[in-house]
Structure formats: structure tokens, C-alpha cells
Amino acid sequence: MDVMQQHMIDSYRAARLGAPAPPVPGTHDVAVLRGIRDYRRFEAVLAGRLATGRLRAALARLTAPHPRHHPPACR
């Protein structure tokens, strides 16, 4: 069943029972994502890691040029 169909069924049921209608799907998505981000930052601070810039630092480490170790030339 589709999310919107389920919302319509829940809205109908709430109206029949005189209860408040449920929120529209997706209403609180941004708030949930912000809460997850804040919680991960909090856990990082407790663990002694950087709270911000971790993704950028990881990408910089992955894309940084690596020194090439060549074997000594045969003489």
C-alpha cells in the first residue's frame, strides 16, 4: 500500500473517531535528519573525535596524493 493511501485511511479513521488527523508524510523528515546529525556529533565529542568536518577530512585523506614507493633501480 502506498504511503499516501495509508495516510488517507488514517485520516478517515481519525475523522470517524473524532481524533486529530495524523501529520502528512514527510512533515518531520528534516527535523529527524537534524536530530540524527546532532546525536552523531554528540557521540563524536564524547569519543574524543572531531564533531564537525569529519566527512570532509575523510574525503581529503582518500583523495590526497600518496607518495609512490618505487623499488631501487637495478644496476
Side-chain angles (χ1 to χ4, degrees):
M1 185 177 307
D2 184 70
V3 175
M4 284 306 294
Q5 288 174 342
Q6 184 64 47
H7 179 260
M8 291 171 61
I9 291 170
D10 292 342
S11 297
Y12 174 76
R13 184 179 302 127
R16 298 267 317 206
L17 297 174
V24 178
T27 301
H28 303 292
D29 289 353
V30 174
V32 169
L33 292 175
R34 284 185 183 144
I36 292 170
R37 180 196 62 195
D38 292 344
Y39 182 73
R40 289 180 54 98
R41 285 182 179 174
F42 176 70
E43 283 187 329
V45 170
L46 291 180
R49 298 188 312 263
L50 291 175
T52 58
R54 293 184 300 154
L55 179 62
R56 186 171 287 158
L59 289 174
R61 281 193 307 272
L62 288 174
T63 59
H66 299 289
R68 299 186 188 271
H69 298 288
H70 295 288
C74 296
R75 295 182 190 179

